Each structure stands twice: as structure tokens, then as C-alpha cells.
Amino acid sequence: MYDQTRAQQPPDRTPGPDGRRTAGPEPLLPPEARDEIARRLGHAVNTFADTPREALEEAEGAFGEAAAQLANALSEMRQVLRAGWQGRDPETDSAELREALRQYRELTQRLLRT
């Protein structure tokens, strides 16, 4: 059945425990990984005046780590999504397939906005 309230919600917002949409999409990287990358980048910015070359190397390393972790997280998400729909009968599992499509759409839209 069509749920107009749900349909009007932004696609990158997932329902919270109370059924309402949360303030935004769940981050793609865990908090500790984000914090470490942000710490490294902040260190690079703060030390640039004294050691510009080393600061740039630190910033490049932080960027490389963020890109690698993001690629790994997206690959894992893709595997989980694919495992959820691959091999299902489209005639009997249309609700599950529709949910998988919604999740692909949301993830892709998040990437396009980044």
C-alpha cells in the first residue's frame, strides 16, 4: 500500500527507532575512523606554517586513508545489498526487491551529493 507520509520524506533519511526519519543519513565511516582522519588533517593544517612539505604529505595521507576506507565501506554495502536480492524470485519477493532498489537509490544519491 502506498504510504504518502513516507514517500514525502527525503530519500537519504532512514527511519529511527520511533519510526520517524533521523536528522540525516548514517555516516559511511565509523566515528573512530572519521575522528582519526580529521585529527591527521587538522595536524597537517596546524603544522603547515612550520613544515609545509610534511604538512602536505600528512594531508595527502589523510585523504588517501579516507578514500580507501570509503571505497571499502561502499564495497561492503554493495555486497550486503546484492546478497539481499540476488537469486530471489521477482514475482514473489517484489517488496524485498523494491526495498533493495530504494537502498541503491539512496546510496547513489548520497555519493552524487558528496
Side-chain angles (χ1 to χ4, degrees):
M1 174 175 221
Y2 182 73
D3 182 349
Q4 185 176 2
T5 304
R6 181 176 176 199
Q8 292 175 346
Q9 296 294 319
D12 62 348
R13 308 251 171 120
T14 55
D18 61 357
R20 294 183 178 186
R21 299 280 176 157
T22 57
E26 183 177 319
L28 296 172
L29 298 179
E32 58 276 356
R34 292 191 324 265
D35 291 347
E36 177 59 21
I37 292 166
R39 185 200 62 75
R40 289 178 61 192
L41 188 57
H43 181 261
V45 169
N46 290 331
T47 61
F48 180 80
D50 296 327
T51 56
R53 184 148 191 102
E54 288 84 359
L56 287 173
E57 289 171 357
E58 178 87 22
E60 192 275 333
F63 175 82
E65 182 65 24
Q69 287 192 28
L70 180 59
N72 288 337
L74 291 171
S75 178
E76 288 175 18
M77 287 179 188
R78 183 178 186 197
Q79 289 173 357
V80 168
L81 279 172
R82 177 175 284 177
W85 65 264
Q86 201 169 35
R88 290 192 181 251
D89 180 2
E91 297 301 318
T92 60
D93 295 326
S94 64
E96 288 87 357
L97 296 176
R98 186 175 294 110
E99 178 60 21
L101 178 61
R102 185 189 63 76
Q103 290 174 338
Y104 278 119
R105 182 191 72 205
E106 288 176 7
L107 281 171
T108 304
Q109 288 174 337
R110 285 172 66 188
L111 286 174
L112 294 174
R113 283 192 304 268
T114 306

